[in-house]
Structure formats: C-alpha cells, structure tokens
Short mmCIF file of all heavy atoms in Angstrom, two decimals:
data_model
loop_
_atom_site.label_atom_id
_atom_site.label_comp_id
_atom_site.label_asym_id
_atom_site.label_seq_id
_atom_site.Cartn_x
_atom_site.Cartn_y
_atom_site.Cartn_z
N PRO A 2 -6.38 -38.64 -7.64
CA PRO A 2 -5.28 -37.58 -7.62
C PRO A 2 -4.62 -37.51 -8.99
O PRO A 2 -4.76 -38.48 -9.82
CB PRO A 2 -4.34 -38.20 -6.64
CG PRO A 2 -4.48 -39.69 -6.61
CD PRO A 2 -6.03 -39.82 -6.84
N PRO A 3 -4.17 -36.31 -9.37
CA PRO A 3 -3.58 -36.08 -10.70
C PRO A 3 -2.38 -37.07 -10.92
O PRO A 3 -2.15 -37.38 -12.17
CB PRO A 3 -3.14 -34.68 -10.62
CG PRO A 3 -3.18 -34.22 -9.22
CD PRO A 3 -4.12 -35.13 -8.62
N ASP A 4 -1.59 -37.39 -9.94
CA ASP A 4 -0.63 -38.31 -10.17
C ASP A 4 -0.24 -39.03 -8.80
O ASP A 4 -0.74 -38.60 -7.79
CB ASP A 4 0.68 -37.73 -10.72
CG ASP A 4 1.29 -36.60 -9.82
OD1 ASP A 4 1.68 -36.95 -8.70
OD2 ASP A 4 1.20 -35.49 -10.22
N SER A 5 0.55 -40.06 -8.84
CA SER A 5 0.84 -40.87 -7.61
C SER A 5 1.53 -40.09 -6.42
O SER A 5 1.43 -40.44 -5.36
CB SER A 5 1.65 -42.14 -7.86
OG SER A 5 2.93 -41.67 -8.49
N ASP A 6 2.24 -38.99 -6.81
CA ASP A 6 2.98 -38.24 -5.80
C ASP A 6 2.41 -36.93 -5.51
O ASP A 6 2.91 -36.24 -4.66
CB ASP A 6 4.44 -37.96 -6.25
CG ASP A 6 5.25 -39.24 -6.43
OD1 ASP A 6 5.03 -40.13 -5.58
OD2 ASP A 6 6.13 -39.27 -7.27
N ALA A 7 1.09 -36.78 -5.93
CA ALA A 7 0.40 -35.41 -5.69
C ALA A 7 0.23 -35.15 -4.23
O ALA A 7 0.55 -34.13 -3.74
CB ALA A 7 -0.85 -35.43 -6.49
N LEU A 8 -0.20 -36.11 -3.42
CA LEU A 8 -0.60 -35.89 -1.99
C LEU A 8 0.83 -35.66 -1.35
O LEU A 8 0.91 -34.76 -0.45
CB LEU A 8 -1.27 -37.10 -1.39
CG LEU A 8 -1.64 -36.98 0.07
CD1 LEU A 8 -2.46 -35.77 0.34
CD2 LEU A 8 -2.34 -38.30 0.56
N ARG A 9 1.92 -36.35 -1.61
CA ARG A 9 3.09 -36.19 -0.98
C ARG A 9 3.62 -34.83 -1.22
O ARG A 9 4.16 -34.17 -0.29
CB ARG A 9 4.09 -37.30 -1.45
CG ARG A 9 5.51 -37.28 -0.86
CD ARG A 9 6.39 -38.26 -1.37
NE ARG A 9 5.92 -39.52 -1.28
CZ ARG A 9 6.49 -40.63 -1.79
NH1 ARG A 9 7.60 -40.45 -2.45
NH2 ARG A 9 5.96 -41.87 -1.66
N SER A 10 3.50 -34.31 -2.39
CA SER A 10 3.96 -33.07 -2.76
C SER A 10 3.20 -31.98 -1.95
O SER A 10 3.82 -30.94 -1.43
CB SER A 10 3.84 -32.79 -4.31
OG SER A 10 4.59 -33.68 -4.99
N HIS A 11 1.89 -32.10 -1.89
CA HIS A 11 1.08 -31.07 -1.11
C HIS A 11 1.30 -31.13 0.33
O HIS A 11 1.38 -30.23 1.01
CB HIS A 11 -0.26 -31.25 -1.47
CG HIS A 11 -0.66 -30.80 -2.84
ND1 HIS A 11 -0.65 -29.49 -3.36
CD2 HIS A 11 -1.18 -31.55 -3.94
CE1 HIS A 11 -0.91 -29.39 -4.60
NE2 HIS A 11 -1.28 -30.59 -4.95
N LEU A 12 1.64 -32.35 0.88
CA LEU A 12 1.97 -32.47 2.33
C LEU A 12 3.41 -31.80 2.51
O LEU A 12 3.52 -31.08 3.56
CB LEU A 12 2.12 -33.91 2.69
CG LEU A 12 0.84 -34.65 3.00
CD1 LEU A 12 1.05 -36.22 3.01
CD2 LEU A 12 0.25 -34.26 4.33
N TYR A 13 4.34 -31.86 1.60
CA TYR A 13 5.56 -31.28 1.76
C TYR A 13 5.37 -29.73 1.85
O TYR A 13 5.91 -29.01 2.62
CB TYR A 13 6.49 -31.64 0.63
CG TYR A 13 7.78 -30.91 0.60
CD1 TYR A 13 8.82 -31.29 1.38
CD2 TYR A 13 7.94 -29.76 -0.26
CE1 TYR A 13 10.09 -30.56 1.36
CE2 TYR A 13 9.18 -29.00 -0.27
CZ TYR A 13 10.18 -29.47 0.64
OH TYR A 13 11.38 -28.77 0.55
N ASN A 14 4.59 -29.23 0.88
CA ASN A 14 4.31 -27.83 0.85
C ASN A 14 3.64 -27.26 2.08
O ASN A 14 3.96 -26.23 2.65
CB ASN A 14 3.46 -27.45 -0.36
CG ASN A 14 4.18 -27.61 -1.67
OD1 ASN A 14 5.46 -27.51 -1.63
ND2 ASN A 14 3.47 -27.91 -2.79
N LEU A 15 2.70 -28.08 2.66
CA LEU A 15 2.04 -27.73 3.85
C LEU A 15 3.04 -27.66 5.00
O LEU A 15 2.98 -26.72 5.84
CB LEU A 15 0.90 -28.74 4.17
CG LEU A 15 0.16 -28.51 5.51
CD1 LEU A 15 -0.52 -27.17 5.53
CD2 LEU A 15 -0.87 -29.67 5.72
N ARG A 16 3.89 -28.66 5.19
CA ARG A 16 4.84 -28.62 6.12
C ARG A 16 5.83 -27.56 6.05
O ARG A 16 6.20 -26.92 7.00
CB ARG A 16 5.61 -29.97 6.13
CG ARG A 16 4.77 -31.16 6.59
CD ARG A 16 5.60 -32.40 6.62
NE ARG A 16 4.92 -33.54 7.33
CZ ARG A 16 4.64 -34.70 6.66
NH1 ARG A 16 4.90 -34.92 5.49
NH2 ARG A 16 3.97 -35.70 7.41
N GLN A 17 6.20 -27.08 4.85
CA GLN A 17 7.05 -26.04 4.64
C GLN A 17 6.42 -24.71 5.22
O GLN A 17 7.19 -23.89 5.80
CB GLN A 17 7.42 -25.90 3.21
CG GLN A 17 8.38 -27.00 2.56
CD GLN A 17 9.76 -26.78 3.27
OE1 GLN A 17 10.17 -27.61 4.06
NE2 GLN A 17 10.55 -25.86 2.77
N ALA A 18 5.19 -24.49 4.97
CA ALA A 18 4.50 -23.33 5.34
C ALA A 18 4.05 -23.37 6.85
O ALA A 18 4.17 -22.32 7.58
CB ALA A 18 3.29 -23.11 4.48
N LEU A 19 3.61 -24.54 7.28
CA LEU A 19 3.08 -24.56 8.63
C LEU A 19 4.02 -24.95 9.76
O LEU A 19 3.82 -24.58 10.86
CB LEU A 19 1.81 -25.59 8.61
CG LEU A 19 0.90 -25.54 9.86
CD1 LEU A 19 0.18 -24.22 10.04
CD2 LEU A 19 -0.04 -26.71 9.81
N ASP A 20 4.95 -25.82 9.41
CA ASP A 20 5.89 -26.41 10.38
C ASP A 20 7.26 -25.70 10.44
O ASP A 20 7.72 -25.35 11.54
CB ASP A 20 6.07 -27.85 10.09
CG ASP A 20 4.79 -28.68 10.48
OD1 ASP A 20 3.86 -28.14 11.10
OD2 ASP A 20 4.70 -29.80 10.02
N ARG A 21 7.83 -25.59 9.34
CA ARG A 21 9.26 -25.20 9.23
C ARG A 21 9.51 -23.83 10.03
O ARG A 21 10.45 -23.64 10.75
CB ARG A 21 9.76 -25.13 7.81
CG ARG A 21 11.25 -24.79 7.67
CD ARG A 21 11.72 -24.88 6.26
NE ARG A 21 13.16 -24.62 6.20
CZ ARG A 21 13.84 -24.68 5.00
NH1 ARG A 21 13.25 -24.85 3.81
NH2 ARG A 21 15.12 -24.43 5.00
N PRO A 22 8.62 -22.76 9.78
CA PRO A 22 8.86 -21.45 10.35
C PRO A 22 8.79 -21.53 11.95
O PRO A 22 9.23 -20.59 12.65
CB PRO A 22 7.89 -20.61 9.83
CG PRO A 22 7.49 -21.22 8.54
CD PRO A 22 7.46 -22.70 8.93
N PHE A 23 8.11 -22.60 12.48
CA PHE A 23 7.88 -22.53 13.94
C PHE A 23 8.62 -23.48 14.83
O PHE A 23 8.42 -23.57 16.00
CB PHE A 23 6.35 -22.92 14.08
CG PHE A 23 5.39 -21.90 13.43
CD1 PHE A 23 5.07 -21.97 12.12
CD2 PHE A 23 5.04 -20.70 14.17
CE1 PHE A 23 4.19 -20.98 11.57
CE2 PHE A 23 4.18 -19.75 13.62
CZ PHE A 23 3.84 -19.96 12.32
N GLY A 24 9.68 -24.13 14.14
CA GLY A 24 10.56 -24.88 14.95
C GLY A 24 10.20 -26.29 15.27
O GLY A 24 11.02 -27.07 15.63
N HIS A 25 8.83 -26.65 15.24
CA HIS A 25 8.39 -28.03 15.48
C HIS A 25 7.20 -28.41 14.57
O HIS A 25 6.37 -27.54 14.30
CB HIS A 25 8.11 -28.31 16.95
CG HIS A 25 6.96 -27.32 17.53
ND1 HIS A 25 7.16 -26.23 17.99
CD2 HIS A 25 5.68 -27.62 17.50
CE1 HIS A 25 6.08 -25.69 18.33
NE2 HIS A 25 5.12 -26.51 18.09
N GLY A 26 7.29 -29.60 14.07
CA GLY A 26 6.20 -30.04 13.15
C GLY A 26 5.04 -30.58 13.82
O GLY A 26 5.11 -31.14 14.89
N VAL A 27 3.90 -30.31 13.25
CA VAL A 27 2.61 -30.85 13.75
C VAL A 27 1.96 -31.71 12.64
O VAL A 27 1.02 -32.53 13.04
CB VAL A 27 1.64 -29.70 14.25
CG1 VAL A 27 2.28 -28.96 15.34
CG2 VAL A 27 1.26 -28.75 13.08
N VAL A 28 2.29 -31.62 11.45
CA VAL A 28 1.70 -32.42 10.42
C VAL A 28 2.44 -33.80 10.43
O VAL A 28 3.76 -33.88 10.11
CB VAL A 28 1.80 -31.77 8.99
CG1 VAL A 28 1.25 -32.75 7.97
CG2 VAL A 28 1.13 -30.44 9.05
#
C-alpha cells in the first residue's frame, strides 16, 4: 500500500458512498 493508512482511508470513502445514504452499514 502507498502508506499505512491507505486501506483505512479507502474503507472510509466506501462507507460514505455505500452505507451513509442508506441508513445502515454493510461494510
């Protein structure tokens, strides 16, 4: 990975797009 927090950052972005608008998280 490009840095130690890269995966965490991309998981956050995925949750913002996939989970937040729908009221419940799946990731």
Side-chain angles (χ1 to χ4, degrees):
D4 60 67
S5 60
D6 290 327
L8 181 58
R9 182 181 302 174
S10 297
H11 288 295
L12 279 166
Y13 174 82
N14 291 335
L15 176 60
R16 288 181 169 120
Q17 289 292 103
L19 186 68
D20 290 343
R21 187 174 181 182
F23 296 89
H25 61 270
V27 297
V28 180

